[in-house]
Amino acid sequence: MTYRALCSFLKIAIGSGKDETYPFDLRTFCSTFGLDVSTTFNSLKILEMNGDLTLSEAIHQPTKLRLAIGNTALYDFQVHHEEFRPLISMLSRSYPGIFDQYFAIDEKVFAQRLKMTFPQIEKQLKELEKYGIVDVTWKTDMPTITLIHERLPDDYLSIQPEMYATRKAYAEKRLSAVRNFLQANECRTIQVLHYFGQSSEECGICDVCRSKILHESHAAYSITQTILDFLKEPRTEQECLLAFEISKDNLRKTLKTLHLEEKISYLNGKFHVK
Ligand SMILES: [Zn+2]
């Protein structure tokens, strides 16, 4: 997705773009396609790790060019376009390999040697580019992207297995963190705040808290029922304590409630169901 958008942003056709360097403004790119800046940066980093492109910092890049046609065609062109002869012969004489590879050039030096102005040199280079005589990467102070291979058809871009494995391991790590979070029997609010180094009381409204409260009230309900069954015979508080796994406080609270609700009576130190 990012790759396709990138190629269309840089106007790279499928099958071209290999070893070419393009000035790249991330913010403009993102706003053009409505993409999130940090997500896009991460995607580009993945493409870089995957060996599809390299990203460079914002440093000055000189104009680089190479001659895009052969000797014979170049000769023909010069016959019909005399005005370019000095510049073309200077290029081919200064850089013998320029038919095969890119060379960084300094337009100012060219202007001095050819007794032309800087804008004139630039204008001629632009025209030569338009005629398809030269391939040019214009100088820039922007960060650049260099494509390692030609643009692939949309379905052919694949993430290298080792790259995929790294991403997968990372994704699984995150997934297991989420799973731990979901499985932990602790208040979600406490867990989240703990993650951020803060502490909190149980919130009482998350799923863990709610199920705990439900469980507790359920437990309280069944203990009440058990006590009522037990008190079908008159029993002392001590007998109740021995019969149930319940704290003295809780037992007293429950007995008090039952007494107030007039479900049990208290006579001669013993509780009894009415
Ligand atoms: Zn909670």
Side-chain angles (χ1 to χ4, degrees):
M1 159 65 202
T2 306
Y3 182 74
R4 196 184 311 176
L6 179 71
C7 288
S8 103
F9 182 69
L10 300 176
K11 300 187 174 65
I12 303 165
I14 287 168
S16 68
K18 180 172 160 51
D19 294 332
E20 303 242 14
T21 298
Y22 303 88
F24 182 69
D25 181 4
L26 182 63
R27 280 182 193 282
T28 312
F29 174 63
C30 290
S31 67
T32 305
F33 291 92
L35 301 171
D36 174 66
V37 171
S38 69
T39 310
T40 304
F41 182 72
N42 286 333
S43 305
L44 291 173
K45 278 288 175 197
I46 290 172
L47 288 171
E48 184 173 40
M49 286 191 272
N50 195 43
D52 296 306
L53 50 83
T54 55
L55 303 166
S56 84
E57 307 279 310
I59 45 164
H60 176 74
Q61 304 277 340
T63 297
K64 288 181 190 160
L65 58 82
R66 74 170 172 196
L67 290 170
I69 56 171
N71 248 322
T72 322
L74 189 62
Y75 179 79
D76 278 353
F77 177 80
Q78 289 184 84
V79 170
H80 296 101
H81 302 86
E82 276 290 328
E83 68 275 24
F84 294 106
R85 192 185 286 274
L87 179 58
I88 289 173
S89 56
M90 182 158 190
L91 282 171
S92 54
R93 261 186 278 119
S94 309
Y95 310 99
I98 202 164
F99 287 96
D100 300 317
Q101 66 185 88
Y102 283 84
F103 283 91
I105 61 154
D106 188 336
E107 291 95 324
K108 272 183 203 147
V109 174
F110 274 43
Q112 276 169 12
R113 290 211 234 153
L114 295 171
K115 299 193 169 42
M116 291 166 75
T117 64
F118 183 86
Q120 280 173 328
I121 292 288
E122 222 171 26
K123 184 166 172 271
Q124 286 212 341
L125 286 174
K126 280 195 174 134
E127 284 172 32
L128 286 176
E129 187 185 27
K130 225 180 276 171
Y131 283 119
I133 306 298
V134 292
D135 285 333
V136 188
T137 304
W138 296 100
K139 66 175 166 20
T140 177
D141 292 321
M142 257 192 259
T144 59
I145 282 186
T146 305
L147 295 195
I148 307 292
H149 53 73
E150 69 283 3
R151 178 179 177 181
L152 299 173
D154 294 336
D155 297 335
Y156 281 69
L157 184 76
S158 64
I159 301 298
Q160 301 294 320
E162 60 269 34
M163 180 64 207
Y164 180 71
T166 312
R167 299 299 298 173
K168 197 174 163 217
Y170 178 69
E172 273 169 1
K173 209 167 132 193
R174 291 214 327 195
L175 186 68
S176 83
V178 171
R179 202 181 288 135
N180 285 342
F181 176 78
L182 291 177
Q183 284 173 353
N185 192 27
E186 191 181 14
C187 168
R188 306 291 180 215
T189 306
I190 289 179
Q191 286 189 66
V192 170
L193 288 177
H194 180 77
Y195 180 82
F196 291 106
Q198 295 163 13
S199 58
S200 160
E201 301 276 300
E202 289 193 344
C203 70
I205 51 172
C206 72
D207 62 312
V208 175
C209 285
R210 282 204 315 264
S211 92
K212 203 180 269 182
I213 290 165
L214 197 69
H215 186 78
E216 277 167 5
S217 70
H218 188 76
Y221 175 77
S222 64
I223 196 86
T224 305
Q225 278 308 308
T226 318
I227 289 172
L228 283 174
D229 283 346
F230 188 64
L231 294 182
K232 280 174 182 163
E233 301 284 315
R235 313 273 190 182
T236 63
E237 185 186 275
Q238 191 58 31
E239 285 173 315
C240 291
L241 264 182
L242 290 171
F244 306 112
E245 278 182 32
I246 185 172
S247 73
K248 197 183 246 182
D249 273 355
N250 266 338
L251 177 68
R252 282 188 177 163
K253 219 188 280 172
T254 310
L255 291 174
K256 194 176 169 189
T257 309
L258 289 172
H259 197 215
L260 284 172
E261 289 171 353
E262 299 189 340
K263 284 179 179 160
I264 56 170
S265 60
Y266 183 67
L267 194 68
N268 301 325
K270 288 187 177 184
F271 295 96
H272 190 208
V273 174
K274 277 190 167 174

